[in-house]
Amino acid sequence: MAPTLVDHAQDDGRGEHFRVRIEGFGVGTWDLDLRTRELEWSEAARAMFGAGWSQTIGYDAFLSLLQPADRARFEQTIQQMPRSGGGFDLSFKVGASSGKGQWIRARAGLIRDESGAPRHISGIFLDVDQEKRVEEALRTQEDHLRSILETVPDAMIVIDSRGIMQLFSSAAERLFGYSKQEAIGRNVSILMPEPDRSRHDGYLERYLETHDPHIIGIGRIVTGKRRDGTTFPMHLSVGQTQQGDEPYFTGFVRDLTEHQQTQARLQELQSELVHVSRLSAMGEMASALAHELNQPLAAISNYMKGSRRLLSGSGDPNASKIESAMDRAAEQALRAGQIIRRLRDFVSRGESEKRVESLSKLIEEAGALGLAGAREQSIQLRFNLDPNADLVLADRVQIQQVLVNLFRNALEAMMQSPRRELIVANTRVGNDMIEVEVSDTGSGFQDDVIPNLFQTFFTTKETGMGVGLSISRSIIEAHGGRMWAESNASGGATFRFTLPAADET
């Protein structure tokens, strides 16, 4: 049987020479006598533990250098070695109480005497502090990456060159309905409907042969399939990584169901606004025409009555026939005037469907339509909305029409301005009204413009019809509020209107 390291060093100087050599490489040696419980360790070993003791110390004194958890593991392993005859390989940290501590790895083997009885455990101490700290840093990064993957809203899936899923994030579990255990190890084609499901492996093979980036690095909208068989639109972006000779593909998936529903709702809302805008424009023009036509119709009726009186003294044999024709013409002129007055009354007194609405929501939805392109024009949007002045009694579509009209006017007014800022604010006025303010930093008003702004067919635009602001004021007044405009301190325009406040309770 092989002798102990200590006996070997006494019997042969070559052992001591070997010990000195490995000490030069920063490797500490140690030897535990199982009968005396004394530990002999080298100078390099003592330096690793920060101990100033002599070469030989008691085993219990050595254990006191270890932390409680490491001490128990070390002692348990030592106790098992004489029975099992196995090796010793344990890593632990020393000096942690004085600062960051140092990682040490202990390796050893059992040495028996000539009779075969266990006598020594001899081994080495290795300074593995740097390796452990790198390992801890990598573990921290891995934990950080895992936490990101757990919280990122987009699903992430990693597949190998055969299409087998290697990683399936928590967002992917929620989106597709598969658990990690169900997905990992299966072909990613289970997440696709036909015909993509049958064609996917062919897509991969073609890419690996031709490297034609049909989808790699290019985002596109495709259809996904959940575990329950339902399909949904999704945006897919795929990137490629390489581990040795094996390519891996990472797909990021975003569910577009809500996005498409929102787009459909915005299109529906825009259609409603356009429809109401046309009806309002027709009504406003009908009201204006009624006002303009009533006067000439009244004049026609008066002229007919005057001409009849002049004919009453005439001896013309056809005088009675002419008087009768004039009477009928006057009656028709009066009848036309009554029809137009009824049309005007219908337009001016028509009731809208008013409900309790959230002003912030009305502004948000109107902004999605009226402020399209604001970012491209470098316009800064500031919504200073008071939640305590939010509920109003209003017709949703009509008020959004007013807001869209004001937003579009503001964007057009700021197209040539060096400073482009649009502010929307609300405030309570008294106990029963809420005021809405829309301010821009555009070109503002000329001195003679403000008094005529809300007149029908008056416009400052080259292609404008002059009915937008007139319709807007009519809508606000029909709601029981009022609307006006003024210049602001930045030189732009500020429009204000009021709406009845709804009961907060």
Side-chain angles (χ1 to χ4, degrees), residues 15 25 41 64 77 101 137 165 232 278 334 337 340 350 400 411 427 439:
F25 291 104
W41 55 355
S64 67
T77 306
M165 289 183 280
F232 63 97
R278 289 174 178 170
L334 291 174
I340 292 175
Q400 286 177 341
L411 295 189
T427 184
S439 297

Side-chain angles (χ1 to χ4, degrees), residues 272-290 343 347-348 398 401-402 405 455-457 464-475:
E272 290 180 13
L273 290 175
V274 170
H275 178 64
V276 171
S277 179
R278 289 174 178 170
L279 291 179
S280 298
M282 291 175 61
E284 195 70 19
M285 285 187 287
S287 179
L289 288 173
L343 175 62
V347 171
S348 61
Q398 289 188 354
Q401 178 191 349
V402 172
N405 186 50
Q455 290 186 9
T456 308
F457 308 129
M465 293 179 59
V467 295
L469 289 176
S470 176
I471 293 172
S472 297
R473 187 176 65 173
S474 298
I475 290 174

Side-chain angles (χ1 to χ4, degrees), residues 265-275 369:
R265 177 62 187 137
L266 287 176
Q267 292 177 1
E268 179 184 349
L269 179 59
Q270 188 172 24
S271 298
E272 290 180 13
L273 290 175
V274 170
H275 178 64
L369 298 175

Side-chain angles (χ1 to χ4, degrees), residues 322-354:
I322 296 174
E323 288 176 358
S324 177
M326 286 187 172
D327 286 340
R328 286 194 294 272
E331 289 174 0
Q332 292 303 315
L334 291 174
R335 181 171 177 270
Q338 291 172 354
I339 293 173
I340 292 175
R341 278 195 297 273
R342 285 198 299 271
L343 175 62
R344 185 181 181 187
D345 291 341
F346 173 78
V347 171
S348 61
R349 293 199 296 266
E351 293 295 330
S352 58
E353 186 178 1
K354 300 181 181 67

Side-chain angles (χ1 to χ4, degrees), residues 141-152 154-174 176 178-191 236 241 243 247-253:
Q141 292 180 0
E142 183 179 349
D143 292 341
H144 181 61
L145 178 60
R146 184 178 293 108
S147 68
I148 292 175
L149 295 179
E150 292 294 327
T151 56
V152 69
D154 290 351
M156 191 178 84
I157 303 167
V158 177
I159 64 172
D160 61 16
S161 59
R162 297 175 293 114
I164 304 303
M165 289 183 280
Q166 308 295 316
L167 185 146
F168 202 72
S169 70
S170 297
E173 289 184 303
R174 295 189 295 269
F176 289 97
Y178 290 96
S179 67
K180 291 184 179 67
Q181 294 76 15
E182 292 174 317
I184 293 176
R186 300 179 66 181
N187 196 294
V188 72
S189 61
I190 65 172
L191 309 179
L236 174 64
T241 58
Q243 292 186 11
Y248 288 86
F249 304 94
T250 303
F252 294 91
V253 177

Side-chain angles (χ1 to χ4, degrees), residues 97-150:
S97 59
S98 61
K100 64 180 182 179
Q102 180 176 351
W103 280 99
I104 294 175
R105 182 180 183 183
R107 302 194 67 181
L110 181 66
I111 297 178
R112 303 178 184 272
D113 59 17
E114 294 179 355
S115 65
R119 181 174 178 185
H120 292 270
I121 296 177
S122 293
I124 59 175
F125 289 129
L126 300 172
D127 183 353
V128 293
D129 192 66
Q130 183 175 359
E131 291 85 349
K132 280 289 186 178
R133 296 194 185 281
V134 171
E135 182 181 324
E136 288 180 346
L138 291 175
R139 186 181 298 110
T140 301
Q141 292 180 0
E142 183 179 349
D143 292 341
H144 181 61
L145 178 60
R146 184 178 293 108
S147 68
I148 292 175
L149 295 179
E150 292 294 327

Side-chain angles (χ1 to χ4, degrees), residues 352-355 357 393-400 479:
S352 58
E353 186 178 1
K354 300 181 181 67
R355 298 178 179 176
E357 301 284 354
L393 188 64
D395 183 291
R396 176 180 61 84
V397 175
Q398 289 188 354
I399 297 305
Q400 286 177 341
H479 279 73

Side-chain angles (χ1 to χ4, degrees), residues 8-138:
H8 185 73
Q10 293 173 349
D11 294 342
D12 193 340
R14 289 181 300 172
E16 184 64 28
H17 177 68
F18 177 73
R19 180 186 300 215
V20 172
R21 290 186 63 184
I22 64 172
E23 290 272 332
F25 291 104
V27 179
T29 59
W30 61 283
D31 182 272
L32 175 64
D33 191 318
L34 294 175
R35 288 179 293 183
T36 64
R37 304 276 293 179
E38 288 186 349
L39 178 72
E40 182 179 347
W41 55 355
S42 67
E43 183 179 348
R46 294 196 306 273
M48 289 183 197
F49 286 82
W53 297 331
S54 63
Q55 185 176 2
T56 303
I57 63 170
Y59 179 57
D60 293 335
F62 167 77
L63 290 177
S64 67
L65 299 175
L66 307 183
Q67 297 182 13
D70 293 331
R71 186 184 309 153
R73 289 191 298 128
F74 195 99
E75 193 168 14
Q76 181 181 8
T77 306
I78 292 293
Q79 292 173 354
Q80 291 175 350
M81 285 187 68
R83 297 190 299 270
S84 64
F88 183 102
D89 192 343
L90 191 66
S91 295
F92 48 86
K93 185 183 286 188
V94 297
S97 59
S98 61
K100 64 180 182 179
Q102 180 176 351
W103 280 99
I104 294 175
R105 182 180 183 183
R107 302 194 67 181
L110 181 66
I111 297 178
R112 303 178 184 272
D113 59 17
E114 294 179 355
S115 65
R119 181 174 178 185
H120 292 270
I121 296 177
S122 293
I124 59 175
F125 289 129
L126 300 172
D127 183 353
V128 293
D129 192 66
Q130 183 175 359
E131 291 85 349
K132 280 289 186 178
R133 296 194 185 281
V134 171
E135 182 181 324
E136 288 180 346
L138 291 175

